[in-house]
Amino acid sequence: MTKSTIVIPNYNGINYIQSCLESLYGGTTKEIEVIVVDNASTDGSMELVRDQFPQVRLIVNEKNMGFSCAVNQGIRSSRTPYVILLNNDTRAEFSFVHELEKVMDHDREKKIFSASAKLVSLYDKDKVDDAGDYYCALGWAFARGKGRPPARYDQDCDIFAACAGAAIYRRELLEENKVGLFDEEHFAYFEDIDIGYRAKIYGYRNKFAANSIVYHAGSATSGSRYNAFKTRLASRNSVYLIYKNMPALQLVLNLPFLVIGFLIKMLFFARKGMGREYVLGLIGGIRLSISPCGRRHKQCFDRHRIGNYVSIQIELWRNLFRLFA
């Protein structure tokens, strides 16, 4: 029985999508369904997929719907127990899928919501790109192991959230009456931290699968690590993420850390000439949070989950030390 469906969102990925799909079909994933969701690409990448990979299910959008909407379309179209999200600017190793499935299969109580692959830099294979994501009390998300040797991250472990660039999810928990799908208000950036945070509120765990390896180009869609579009959108979503997931008491508890975190980020982007974009993003995040749509997506506090909130808060503080270690 096929266990996993691989969902690949694509937007103008002509330089990467062919090698991405070739790496999948050249490995152990020949029996696994692949869905490519194209966000109105204009570079011929959609036609390339259609012509050279007829076995791929192709969903074509008439406009760029963003990462969150695209992956949700793929998830809704899947029927397998697991859904694997994979960026188009990646190349997967032979056992990529098997190793992700193995982590999920060993969880008999089904308390693992997601597992993140080890992302290694495509252009410098001696450096980790992401070994799972952490989130801390400053309101910062950061990639575990960024820039360090991959051999140092050879053990499975718990993480705050899986990096959706290469991760597996338990599909039944993505249903609306459970953890739910990706929040499409994010469009892109922080959507994977948000859904991982949400899963932890519900008492689920997120893991790092050390033996599942993917090579990642990075920033292929947005164009660079720092740019105005990414800065503004990530800034907006960082505010929205906090509003959505933190109850009032937890927000007050973290407020001094969050103020410091946002001030440091503001100075950082000001030095890069994008301070205005960062501030406009913060304003946009506040507006989104107080809008009817934002309020509708807020996680309602449940006193029966108080232990989960305490566990999350301890992790937010612990991740401060991990950030500066």
Side-chain angles (χ1 to χ4, degrees), residues 98-311:
H98 171 71
E99 294 295 339
L100 287 177
E101 290 177 343
K102 187 164 68 172
V103 170
M104 306 298 279
D105 287 344
H106 285 177
D107 176 30
R108 295 182 179 180
E109 296 180 357
K110 297 184 177 181
K111 297 300 291 183
I112 296 176
F113 170 65
S114 68
S116 185
K118 183 195 294 183
L119 278 81
V120 176
S121 174
L122 180 63
Y123 302 117
D124 187 350
K125 294 182 173 59
D126 291 327
K127 292 182 179 179
V128 167
D129 187 57
D130 193 303
D133 287 343
Y134 284 145
Y135 185 68
C136 71
L138 292 171
W140 297 0
F142 58 100
R144 175 174 173 261
K146 183 82 171 180
R148 296 180 179 178
R152 293 181 59 177
Y153 301 89
D154 59 354
Q155 298 293 322
D156 294 358
C157 64
D158 280 8
I159 53 176
F160 191 91
C163 172
I168 190 169
Y169 296 84
R170 199 176 299 278
R171 193 178 64 83
E172 64 178 305
L173 297 180
L174 294 167
E175 296 173 0
E176 290 184 7
N177 62 337
K178 296 181 181 177
V179 176
L181 292 166
F182 286 79
D183 186 346
E184 296 179 12
E185 293 302 321
H186 281 277
F187 189 83
Y189 308 119
F190 281 93
E191 73 291 324
D192 46 6
I193 302 293
D194 171 63
I195 202 168
Y197 198 140
R198 225 184 310 152
K200 294 175 82 67
I201 291 173
Y202 280 81
Y204 296 105
R205 298 160 60 202
N206 303 297
K207 297 281 289 184
F208 167 64
N211 294 321
S212 178
I213 300 173
V214 172
Y215 301 99
H216 183 219
S219 301
T221 298
S222 62
S224 62
R225 186 175 181 184
Y226 301 114
N227 57 67
F229 169 79
K230 183 176 181 178
T231 298
R232 190 165 179 170
L233 193 55
S235 171
R236 185 198 73 151
N237 290 348
S238 65
V239 174
Y240 180 50
L241 170 72
I242 293 165
Y243 164 79
K244 278 188 61 182
N245 296 297
M246 285 191 186
L249 181 60
Q250 189 179 23
L251 180 59
V252 171
L253 184 64
N254 287 298
L255 191 58
F257 295 99
L258 294 172
V259 170
I260 292 170
F262 283 119
L263 285 174
I264 292 173
K265 287 279 189 178
M266 192 182 304
L267 292 172
F268 174 82
F269 284 105
R271 291 185 65 181
K272 289 188 172 292
M274 289 181 283
R276 179 176 179 273
E277 295 300 325
Y278 183 78
V279 172
L280 288 175
L282 296 180
I283 295 170
I286 295 170
R287 287 175 176 169
L288 173 58
S289 298
I290 63 177
S291 70
C293 183
R295 293 199 301 270
R296 186 170 66 250
H297 285 96
K298 183 171 177 61
Q299 294 298 302
C300 296
F301 176 75
D302 185 344
R303 61 185 178 85
H304 298 294
R305 299 193 179 110
I306 188 68
N308 298 339
Y309 287 107
V310 172
S311 177

Side-chain angles (χ1 to χ4, degrees), residues 84-97:
I84 295 174
L85 304 187
L86 186 66
N87 278 6
N88 62 354
D89 59 339
T90 58
R91 295 176 191 170
E93 276 206 351
F94 185 78
S95 59
F96 155 67
V97 171

